[in-house]
Amino acid sequence: MSSEQEQESIRCLVAKVGLDGHDRGAHVIARAFRDAGFEVIYSGLHKAPEEIVQAAVQEDVDVLGISILSGAHDTLIPKIMDGLEEYGAKEDTLVLAGGVIPEEDREELMAEGVAAVFGPGTSIEETIEFVRENAPQR
Amino acid sequence: MSADEELLEDLLAGKHRALARVISKIENRSPGYRDLVSELYAHTGDADVIGVTGSPGAGKSTLVDKLAETYRDRGETVGVIAIDPSSPFTGGAVLGDRIRMASTVGDMDVFVRSMSARGTLGGLSTATADAVKAMDAFGKDKIIIETVGAGQNEIDIVRTADTVAVLVPPGSGDEIQTLKAGILEIADVFVVNKADRDGADRTVQELRDMIQLDEGGGMAGGSGHHSQEVIDAHDDWDPEDDIDEADAETWSTPIVETVATRGEGVDDLLEAFADHRQYLVDSGEHAEQVRGRYAEEIRTLLREDVNAVLEDRLAAAGGVEDLAEAVRQGETDPYSIADDVLAPVETCLDDLEIDNG
Ligand code: B12
Ligand SMILES: Nc1nc2c(ncn2[C@@H]2O[C@H](COP(=O)(O)OP(=O)(O)OP(=O)(O)O)[C@@H](O)[C@H]2O)c(=O)[nH]1
Ligand SMILES: [Mg+2]
């Protein structure tokens, strides 16, 4: 029926996992996403991978942005990806990683299902553009 | 089976992702969402719905978290809808309630969903009501709605709840004065949260005075629960005094003190919720409440539909911009346009009546 005026909005979860206490980047990204018109849920610090998965599934986010500066990305991100898969949410969630992630680790993360990695100094505009272009249509 | 039928089946089977997807469809008003919600109705009616409201930072999310935890300890499943009605002009929002709800993380039987206004506050209360239906159909025993208590729209949101708790932190004296009418009307339970802070006693006293004033000098016994004496006294109540309530039990808004951060007072609060629930059922007010809610839903849906028809008519007549310009040029006037635009609809309706008669 024509009254069903759609009111879609891109929903994002900005997540901090593990013992990593660096939250400046996550705050910068959360605010930038908000200003871009997205709905942002911020996980807060020190979350376990399962908690991130729970939030991503329940909030039904289009985008899951994981911020990691601790160097533990290679163990934590696969756990999150497995959790998403368990709930059937892996395929249509755009997963991004940001923070301090060495060049040589990126390929492996992409193979896990991470769509893109944004290191220190990446432009906010570029990131937002990427989200707009790649957020799942569902 | 269509995709939506499958989604509905998965939701009823208890799949979390299906519940999450259905709520998104409701929020997005995706094509087919109305059929989906319509299908949900048959499976609803079992959940207790509780609204938690109060000024920004009153401790709503912290308290909701503790309520959820306590319900879980009692073996009940919980759904939480955390609403942030404030969104700046960009339409974006940072939804911050979830971050305070950490006591139950890892427990999928607490389903927390954050919602924003998306520009249309009016639509938010409908979306909230529909999301409650989805959680109810999913099988949640308790559904808690958190929203900032400010204006009429938020009041509409909490009307979705059977029982509404209004948080009033210590030192809100002036606020109590200004909010008076609004909060008295919606509060079923007052919660003086942050009772660890100075001034909690005074706030309790101020609320008590306000309630007594409202009840005409404390006829119903001030605050707290109904003692048997009070209920008995209703038997020989002078009907002249209180015609509508001659037979029904009355509800006197209790005041519960809590320290949400430490979980203190949560058991008392849950007891007050249970008492209110009992009162709603015993007094017949619950049926009344539910009827009122459905009446409003029917009206809202019809308004939406009729509006859509009118928008189509307007577009067919050349669009409101052009019509407005025509008025500005002095070629016509708004009344004539309204008549013209509506004429085909009216003809249609008349024909229908002739057909049926
Ligand atoms: C500031 C800082 C701190 C501050 C953090 C304050 C805070 N609340 O955030 C303090 C002093 C507390 C700190 C402490 C530590 N730090 Co420190 N810290 C830094 C430093 C200098 C800058 C980080 C920062 O805030 N940058 C500014 C923000 C805006 O940038 P950003 O986080 O990179 O985010 C950008 C991008 O990465 C991207 N992005 C980030 N997240 C996301 C998410 C998404 C979804 C997307 C799309 C993009 C994205 O977008 C952002 C904007 O461009 C870095 C070095 C560096 N140059 O990165 C070290 C660094 C991160 N710290 C480091 C270390 C080792 C520590 C400590 C362990 C030091 C110690 N021995 O005590 C502690 C650990 C603290 C803890 N609990 O985790 C190491 C980490 C090494 C590693 N990964 O292997 C680094 C890399 C320094 C180094 N070269 O050794 N640190
Ligand atoms: N001292 C004290 N602080 C509390 C209590 N309850 C909550 N707080 C603190 O009050 C602050 C706000 O709590 P929230 O739960 O986010 O409040 P809220 O009403 O949900 O806030 P909004 O959703 O932003 O309107 C936090 O720092 C809490 O830790 C309490 O009982 N005592
Ligand atoms: Mg809150």
Side-chain angles (χ1 to χ4, degrees), chain A residues 7 39-40 54 59-60 92, chain B residues 17 21 24 93 95 106 118:
Chain A
Q7 304 195 337
E39 280 177 14
V40 185
Q54 179 181 17
E59 300 287 358
D60 194 28
D92 58 1
Chain B
R17 176 138 171 93
R21 298 289 315 139
S24 295
L95 306 173
R118 300 212 179 155

Side-chain angles (χ1 to χ4, degrees), chain B residues 176 179-188 190 205-223 237 241-242 245 250-254:
Chain B
I176 294 177
L179 286 177
K180 224 167 169 174
I183 57 173
L184 246 183
E185 189 195 335
I186 58 166
D188 299 310
F190 280 118
Q205 192 51 50
E206 280 165 352
L207 285 170
R208 191 166 286 153
D209 292 347
M210 182 180 82
I211 293 165
Q212 283 191 356
L213 208 66
D214 182 63
E215 285 170 354
M219 278 187 302
S223 68
W237 201 275
D241 266 344
D242 209 333
E245 295 173 353
T250 58
W251 177 253
S252 176
T253 316

